[in-house]
Every structure is written in structure tokens, then in C-alpha cells.
Amino acid sequence: MTTNSVSLPDARPVRVRFAPSPTGFLHIGGARTALFNWLYARHTGGTFLLRIEDTDAARNSQEAVEVILTGLRWLGLDWDEGPLTGDASAPGKGAVGPYFQSQRGDRYRERVAWLVANGHAYEHEGAIRFRMPRDPIVIPDLVVGKVTRELTDREKLEPDFVIVRSDGQPVFHLVNVVDDLDMGITHVIRGEDHLSNTAKHIALFRAFGVAPPEYAHIPLILNIDGSKMSKRDKGASLLSYIEEGFAPEAVANYLCLLGWSPKGNREVVSLPEVVSLFDLPQILRHNARFDLKKLHWLNGEYIKTMSGERFHELAVQALQRMGFNTAAFPAAYVKAAVETAKPKVKQFTEVRHFAAFYFRDELEFDTAELRTELLATDRVLLGRLRAAFAAVAAWDAKSSEAALKAVATEAAVKIGLLVHPLRLAVSGSPVGPSLYHALEVLGREKVLQRLDWVLNQAPA
Ligand code: GLU
């Protein structure tokens, strides 16, 4: 570990924070910053805080905050303290909300008054400026190494920077440091884009007479081709992974690998295991490249090995997002339906093809052509199949398969001639779970109803 002569003793319990500005967008870089802070807190038995940096009132909205909360909850990153919300169902331990800078204006004014009173800041043209030291400042960064920051040529002309604008608004550098100070933050883990601010932050801490926290600046996430990842790039928004049916554990695992790696080039590493292995000096110094293909692969691996209960939970969430009211069906039916889809689904959006038909009253076809194709099927054959199904003694996958085979043998046709229209008739899709298991789960009554629907339509 890099030693920092002004750092606090190691014995002090770790307190870290994720401090996003609510922009209405949670970039995966931000999500990774949150994750690394959370991992470090959990690894050390420390405390993880969430602080919404919402001093820029013009850009703030409740929806923008929700984007952040939704993303963190989805990844399973719970925070440990904050003001009481009075909402017992709220996430975070003890129903605490995040800290909001917008609620801390008085505190910033007090701290600024102290800086002015002690000669560290002064008024200039209505604004308040901080007296920045002219000497170089050394940043002992745990990831980047030792960085010495001198004033830039522009800063040499005016080294003292504004901490309160003439309209009374405190600026980012001030509120960020005051909060880290008041909240007892021991380690600031954030994106490398903030390294250029850190000399100012260290100078502020020193002016307050306090040792700065340790810093760990995490390298950026680039696109696979090495270009800078922008908001518009595919995969940049964390919420897009919810919409696109990824498993949160796969996304969390993938984010861990963006800038950190366990020994032996392992790629599938569950979050609890990362918690036990994670440490700051192991964060990689080079920029990470975002590989959507690898994430898809990892997601498939997680779904393959996931427990039936977890698959059920995520599949039901996906169905509900698509507007299916699974709660209106018996629990055993939902469970059995979802189970038939598990071997086929690689992304939860695919439950639309593999399980949605269980929860529809009216058949919906993947395409209009499929409907036409089904209505052009041999009605006599389909009628015989219906009769054979109606006559089966005990309805299950085996008996419906046997009944279908008997009809095919008798009519001297290949079973495919029955299987394909039957699948279309019950699910509206040419792909789906194992057909006979789907028939069993749907139940004879629904299967006969769906066949009757076809038989009662005018032929195509
Ligand atoms: N609000 C800043 C951001 O969104 C926080 C920087 C920090 O973590 O100190 O980047």
C-alpha cells in the first residue's frame, strides 16, 4: 500500500461514499464507481454512503434521483446510513435515504464563514475565493501512484478559485470537501476525471486543519475500439441492462472486471467472492475496455447456472415489466410455466417468446405471416388432434406426445406436420420451450380452447 504521510491511521474504520450528480442518466462508469466503493466498504467491514450532489438546482429532479436509486438497487448496492425517510419499505439499512447536498446549505455557509474568518478565503466581486497554496501538491493516489500537481499556466494568473459564486451558490469543490469532511470519509474512490480536481480538494482539507482522505482514482471505461465512451454509446446506460433483460449479478460481475481482476484470469466471480478478494491497490491502472460480447456471454453463464428460484424471480420481473399480470395466475402455474423457459432463455427479454403465451388470454403471433400460416393448416388433421387430446385419460407431457404420435401414424404423416401448427396454435411463435411440457403446464382446457380458436377461424 502506498503510504501517505498525512493519511489517517489504518485502524480508523473505512467510510466511503458514492456521490453522483443527478443528471437523469446513470453511466456504467458511475455504476462501477458505486460498486468499487461498496466492495471496499463490504471487504473492510466499513460504511458505504450515498450522497446526491444536487447543488445545481436547475438540473435536478426527482426522476433524475430515481434513475440512480433504481440502478443501485438493481445491482444490489445497499447503503448504510443517511437521513431517516420514515419509509420502512425503503432500501438501505434502517430505511434511510441518501444524503442530499441541497439539504445542507446551512452547513456550507458555516464552513465558508469559518474559512473567511481564518484567512483562507476572501470576498472578491461578490464571489468568495479560496486562497490556493502556490506550491505543488502531492497526491498519493492508491491506484495512479504519486502525482505532483503544479498550478497550470492559467491558474498561475489567478490561483485562488471560487468556492461561492456571486449568486450565493457554493461550488462543487467546496461542497464535495465539506461533505467528505463532515461525513468522515476515509477513502475517496472516484473516476480518474476527478484527478485534476484533487489538488484543490487536498488544499481545502488542509485549510480546515484536517488530513485529507486517501484517494483512489479509477481509470476510465473506453469503448472496445479505444474511443471514449459517450452517453450515446450502446451499453453506456446502466438502466438499459434492466430493459434488455440482463441478470443483475452478471452485470455486477462484469463491472467488477472493468478495472479489477482476480488472480488466474477468472471471469465468472460472484459478488460475495469479489467482496472477499477486493482491495484498492489491485485496481488496474490502464483504462478498461467495454466488451458487450463478453457481457452477453457472462449473462448466459449466470442464467445457465442460476437456481430455479432466482430464475423465477427475474423472469417474473421481466414479464411484469412487459405488462403481464402474473399475479393473477396460481403460483404453481407461474412456477411451472417459467421453468419450461429456463433452458432456452439467455436474456430475460426472451421470456416474451418462451413464456408470455402462458399469461395471455388471446393468442398473439410473432408475425402476421405466422397467423396466416397457421390458418392455412389442414383442418381435418388438426381436428383429429383435438379429438385425440380430448380423449387422453391423464393429461401430461407424455400422454399428449403419445396422442400426437398416434394421430400422425394413423394419418401417415410426419409428426412435424402436427408439431409445427400445434406450437403456433398454443404459443403464436415457431420457437419456444419443449412443446409437450408447455402443453402440460398450459393444461388441457387451454390447449383445446386454442385449437378450437384455429378450427373456428375462416381458413386462410
Ligand atoms: N458529483 C461528482 C460526480 O458526479 C462527485 C465526485 C466525487 O466522487 O468526488 O462526479
Side-chain angles (χ1 to χ4, degrees):
M1 207 144 115
T2 315
T3 47
N4 169 359
S5 58
V6 290
S7 77
L8 302 155
D10 275 343
R12 199 170 151 194
V14 164
R15 289 175 64 82
V16 289
R17 84 305 193 271
F18 176 48
S21 309
T23 59
F25 188 84
L26 182 53
H27 193 278
I28 56 152
R32 182 192 57 167
T33 299
L35 175 63
F36 281 16
N37 275 284
W38 180 89
L39 283 169
Y40 192 56
R42 295 295 170 261
H43 175 76
T44 55
T47 302
F48 172 64
L49 309 181
L50 175 61
R51 180 171 85 221
I52 306 293
E53 302 218 322
D54 59 345
T55 43
D56 187 354
R59 283 202 315 189
N60 292 324
S61 67
Q62 186 52 37
E63 296 92 84
V65 173
E66 278 307 320
V67 168
I68 296 165
L69 302 186
T70 304
L72 297 187
R73 278 174 205 150
W74 186 73
L75 284 173
L77 307 184
D78 51 341
W79 52 94
D80 300 319
E81 59 170 62
L84 284 175
T85 60
D87 174 6
S89 67
K93 288 180 194 150
V96 289
Y99 291 105
F100 287 93
Q101 288 187 329
S102 55
Q103 294 167 1
R104 294 173 43 78
D106 289 346
R107 188 61 185 145
Y108 306 134
R109 276 186 286 277
E110 265 171 49
R111 288 285 196 180
V112 169
W114 189 92
L115 286 175
V116 173
N118 288 275
H120 295 293
Y122 57 89
E123 202 185 320
H124 176 72
E125 292 175 359
I128 310 235
R129 284 181 178 268
F130 175 71
R131 232 182 271 287
M132 181 68 180
R134 275 47 175 170
D135 300 333
I137 289 187
V138 176
I139 306 162
D141 194 276
L142 292 171
V143 176
V144 183
K146 200 167 104 175
V147 179
T148 305
R149 277 275 304 178
E150 315 217 7
L151 295 177
T152 61
D153 287 343
R154 234 183 65 205
E155 285 166 353
K156 274 181 197 145
L157 297 175
E158 181 46 275
D160 299 343
F161 61 92
V162 171
I163 53 174
V164 182
R165 285 198 290 260
S166 53
D167 63 3
Q169 267 298 329
V171 307
F172 162 70
H173 303 301
L174 179 95
V175 295
N176 186 267
V177 166
V178 167
D179 282 350
D180 283 344
L181 182 50
D182 283 354
M183 295 172 191
I185 298 304
T186 58
H187 296 72
V188 168
I189 306 167
R190 62 185 174 190
E192 203 179 282
D193 46 330
H194 283 290
L195 190 57
S196 58
N197 296 323
T198 305
K200 291 189 175 76
H201 297 184
I202 289 178
L204 277 163
F205 275 106
R206 291 187 180 147
F208 284 120
V210 179
E214 307 250 13
Y215 289 95
H217 285 95
I218 326 169
L220 299 180
I221 299 177
L222 304 178
N223 288 314
I224 190 91
D225 64 4
S227 60
K228 210 179 154 208
M229 204 171 188
S230 87
K231 217 169 140 165
R232 281 180 304 279
D233 285 312
K234 193 161 167 40
S237 155
L238 186 78
L239 296 202
S240 72
Y241 296 102
I242 308 181
E243 279 146 33
E244 288 176 21
F246 283 84
E249 44 273 59
V251 176
N253 184 154
Y254 184 67
L255 289 179
C256 290
L257 300 179
L258 284 174
W260 174 87
S261 101
K263 289 206 177 69
N265 273 336
R266 288 174 56 212
E267 303 202 293
V268 183
V269 201
S270 71
L271 215 49
E273 204 188 340
V274 181
V275 165
S276 69
L277 299 172
F278 189 84
D279 207 353
L280 295 179
Q282 294 163 6
I283 294 178
L284 306 172
R285 286 185 62 170
H286 54 260
N287 290 330
R289 292 201 184 197
F290 182 73
D291 184 350
L292 199 53
K293 265 207 202 114
K294 194 192 249 183
L295 175 54
H296 274 283
W297 169 79
L298 207 51
N299 193 56
E301 292 299 298
Y302 268 87
I303 294 181
K304 244 191 274 171
T305 53
M306 165 178 291
S307 73
E309 291 87 67
R310 180 63 175 153
F311 182 85
H312 178 266
E313 189 184 347
L314 294 176
V316 165
Q317 281 171 14
L319 284 165
Q320 287 175 347
R321 265 200 304 279
M322 293 171 196
F324 294 98
N325 182 15
T326 52
F329 295 82
Y333 176 81
V334 180
K335 183 167 179 284
V338 160
E339 240 164 49
T340 63
K342 185 166 188 263
K344 305 275 174 126
V345 165
K346 290 194 190 64
Q347 231 167 299
F348 284 96
T349 36
E350 293 167 0
V351 296
R352 185 179 285 286
H353 302 291
F354 294 111
F357 65 89
Y358 291 111
F359 306 103
R360 282 187 174 124
D361 289 333
E362 294 210 354
L363 203 52
E364 244 180 62
F365 292 88
D366 284 2
T367 64
E369 287 72 30
L370 290 169
R371 184 179 194 276
T372 311
E373 196 184 318
L374 175 61
L375 296 185
T377 328
D378 183 340
R379 299 296 166 100
V380 177
L381 211 51
L382 214 56
R384 282 194 209 160
L385 185 63
R386 191 223 183 266
F389 279 173
V392 160
W395 183 256
D396 59 26
K398 269 218 178 80
S399 61
S400 63
E401 181 174 6
L404 181 140
K405 282 187 172 155
V407 172
T409 311
E410 203 180 306
V413 297
K414 288 199 172 127
I415 62 160
L417 217 64
L418 286 167
V419 166
H420 181 65
L422 176 60
R423 185 184 281 289
L424 282 181
V426 298
S427 75
S429 176
V431 293
S434 146
L435 179 61
Y436 303 111
H437 288 105
L439 296 178
E440 180 178 327
V441 172
L442 267 172
R444 174 160 33 197
E445 202 182 320
K446 271 190 203 158
V447 172
L448 296 184
Q449 266 170 18
R450 289 183 187 189
L451 286 172
D452 285 341
W453 177 86
V454 182
L455 293 168
N456 290 331
Q457 295 292 305

